[in-house]
Amino acid sequence: MKFLPRRALRAAALPAILLLLSCAPRPPVQPGAVPAERGRGRAPGLPVPPLRVALLVDVPSLEFGSARGGTLRWSGGERPVDPGETLRFEPGASGGIVLMEEAGGMWIEGAATFIPHGGEPFLLAGKPYGGTLVAVPSPTGISAVNGIGMEDYLRGVVPWEIGWLPEEKIEALKAQAVAARTYALSRLGREGEPWDLVADEGDQVYRGLERTDPVVDRAIRETAGVVAVFRGKLIRAYYSSTCGGRTAPLEEVWFDREGAPYLRGAGDGPGGGIDPSRSFCRESPHFRWVEHWSGSEAVAGIIRRLAAEKKLDAGRLGRLRDVRVEKKGRSGRVLSVLFRAEGEDVRVGGDRVRWVLGRPQGGGILRSTWFDLEVKREGGLVTEIRAEGRGFGHGIGMCQWGAMGMAEKGYSYDRILTHYYPGIDLRRATRSLLSRGPR
């Protein structure tokens, strides 16, 4: 789960998509069990309409269909869709979309929703998805938004976020299901955007019905409707791959976000211990790592990324003369890095350092902000940088490799969640709870 900038659509599209989703059939929510200490029973359906998940944003055209066909609806009417028929949309003028047909294009004001027959999946870019699909006009193209029930949404999130785990680690899958459900509900009703979530690391990776798994389905079913709360409100259920032995306080990573008692950071060992040999995530391939930037091109790449991050002219920055960690937080993660270039000195703080340094091999961002640097210079210029680091991801909240390690040792999903979000409670989602928003 990463948090990346996203493009907002025109607020005018929001009423249309809400209307269309409210007309769509809601996939059933399956029964499940609450944690053992709270009793057992059937889970009621979540008191929310289908989630709105952006699958594609601002594309030049959109094609989809269903093996059994369905119905296409918009504010001014509807028409049947034949089995196997492919619908093609392109952006239209004045905030509309155009349905491309053999007889010519049909202009539709606002958005249009496709409801497959019999709850069958629809196909978009060759991948199956449950629920409905809404084609939404956007400022620079057209977007595809999936209307999907919460529990079916989780089928396309849980394994893509934490992996396909064996039954012996089902408690980690359950913990992931509760965290992902809580996070998704905390994003409902985002103002100014005709969706609640995006289907990538900007929120949570969602791949629909591309690959389902009976163990994952069981984990979702046995936690159906369960969410994590703190003092009566949904938590901000952040999670990442590997904490490296200690989770991070939120304020050490994202300076512009308010901290929370359950996101204060702690050791990953039993009872919050910091002994690396007892860390629950120590089996992760990212528990310890080393990166090298060597040669003029690798170092120049850092200057280019630094210029892009700070909106500076790379030419005016010139070559890199030094780079050093200025300050670290109590979790060991970097708070500030100073880049000394020929043109000027530039500081980068928190998680954004990962984007500036990047990974020299294979591209992408640096695995975490928990690192130490060694710098070699010749003639007053940097020629090589070596980073020794720990962990993968922002490190806030639940550590996924740690959750797997705890499950392997026999911890239940509620114990896993309270280990990574201390002080929380697990509750059934209710309308009054959801109306309070996240804490």
Side-chain angles (χ1 to χ4, degrees):
M1 176 195 290
K2 303 181 184 72
F3 300 88
L4 310 176
R6 58 177 59 84
R7 290 163 286 184
L9 299 186
R10 261 181 297 199
L14 185 57
I17 193 171
L18 287 172
L19 173 63
L20 291 164
L21 283 174
S22 68
C23 298
R26 299 182 187 178
V29 176
Q30 301 189 38
V34 294
E37 70 271 22
R38 303 192 186 282
R40 295 185 179 276
R42 292 180 64 84
L46 287 175
V48 294
L51 295 172
R52 303 169 299 156
V53 185
L55 304 178
L56 298 173
V57 177
D58 291 344
V59 294
S61 64
L62 191 62
E63 291 186 0
F64 57 89
S66 175
R68 293 187 58 186
T71 303
L72 183 69
R73 292 178 182 168
W74 60 95
S75 59
E78 66 176 57
R79 85 159 177 84
V81 178
D82 295 333
E85 179 183 359
T86 297
L87 297 176
R88 177 181 173 84
F89 287 94
E90 294 185 359
S94 304
I97 54 178
V98 177
L99 174 61
M100 308 305 294
E101 299 181 299
E102 290 184 5
M106 180 177 69
W107 185 80
I108 295 174
E109 182 179 4
T113 188
F114 173 61
I115 306 170
H117 282 323
E120 288 291 309
F122 63 84
L123 290 176
L124 176 68
K127 298 176 182 178
Y129 294 87
T132 62
L133 180 67
V134 183
V136 187
S138 59
T140 57
I142 190 168
S143 298
V145 179
N146 186 194
I148 185 74
M150 172 62 75
E151 308 308 306
D152 283 340
Y153 165 73
L154 294 177
R155 298 181 74 196
V157 169
V158 171
W160 295 99
E161 284 286 359
I162 199 171
W164 285 263
L165 306 181
E167 193 165 1
E168 303 84 70
K169 296 183 180 179
I170 193 172
E171 295 302 311
L173 290 170
K174 291 180 182 180
Q176 179 68 67
V178 174
R181 181 184 296 111
T182 304
Y183 177 83
L185 289 174
S186 74
R187 307 298 284 177
L188 287 176
R190 190 177 298 174
E191 292 185 6
E193 296 181 355
W195 54 67
D196 303 306
L197 302 141
V198 293
D200 59 23
E201 294 88 348
D203 281 310
Q204 301 182 125
V205 175
Y206 169 62
R207 302 287 287 269
L209 301 173
E210 181 177 342
R211 180 180 171 186
T212 58
D213 181 84
V215 179
V216 171
D217 288 348
R218 178 186 155 200
I220 295 169
R221 183 172 64 251
E222 293 183 1
T223 62
V226 178
V227 294
V229 301
F230 182 78
R231 296 178 183 170
K233 291 188 176 183
L234 293 170
I235 70 167
R236 289 170 282 165
Y238 300 131
Y239 54 85
S240 63
S241 168
T242 308
C243 71
R246 184 168 184 169
T247 57
L250 183 148
E251 58 271 19
E252 286 189 8
V253 179
W254 297 319
F255 300 160
D256 59 342
R257 304 187 191 187
E258 183 180 358
Y262 56 86
L263 296 175
R264 64 177 181 268
D268 190 42
I274 59 174
D275 181 354
S277 67
R278 302 192 67 197
S279 175
F280 291 120
C281 71
R282 64 183 178 275
E283 297 302 320
S284 168
H286 310 290
F287 190 65
R288 297 286 189 274
W289 48 264
V290 175
E291 298 283 8
H292 284 97
W293 296 260
S294 181
S296 58
E297 180 56 32
V299 176
I302 294 175
I303 285 289
R304 289 193 295 270
R305 292 188 291 272
L306 177 64
E309 174 69 21
K310 294 296 187 177
K311 296 181 174 56
L312 301 171
D313 185 312
R316 292 185 62 182
L317 280 178
R319 293 168 294 180
L320 190 63
R321 296 191 296 123
D322 194 15
V323 55
R324 66 173 183 264
V325 174
E326 286 192 309
K327 186 178 181 181
K328 287 190 173 185
R330 60 184 176 84
S331 74
R333 289 168 172 83
V334 168
L335 299 180
S336 175
V337 173
L338 176 66
F339 295 86
R340 301 194 65 192
E342 291 176 310
E344 64 178 289
D345 294 349
V346 181
R347 286 179 175 81
V348 180
D351 208 42
R352 298 308 304 178
V353 173
R354 298 169 63 199
W355 273 259
V356 173
L357 286 174
R359 292 186 70 176
Q361 303 297 326
I365 65 174
L366 195 64
R367 276 176 271 196
S368 80
T369 58
W370 192 349
F371 59 81
D372 293 302
L373 293 178
E374 293 181 7
V375 180
K376 291 184 179 180
R377 291 176 293 275
E378 292 182 8
L381 297 175
V382 173
T383 58
E384 183 179 348
I385 303 170
R386 184 177 188 272
E388 290 190 16
R390 302 167 65 169
F392 188 19
H394 51 68
I396 302 167
M398 187 176 74
C399 171
Q400 292 169 309
W401 272 89
M404 289 186 274
M406 292 185 72
E408 197 168 27
K409 293 184 179 299
Y411 287 85
S412 61
Y413 80 91
D414 48 313
R415 290 284 303 280
I416 294 172
L417 290 166
T418 54
H419 175 76
Y420 289 111
Y421 307 109
I424 67 161
D425 293 309
L426 300 183
R427 295 283 187 268
R428 295 284 187 201
T430 62
R431 191 174 300 278
S432 61
L433 172 64
L434 299 180
S435 68
R436 299 170 197 162
R439 181 178 291 278

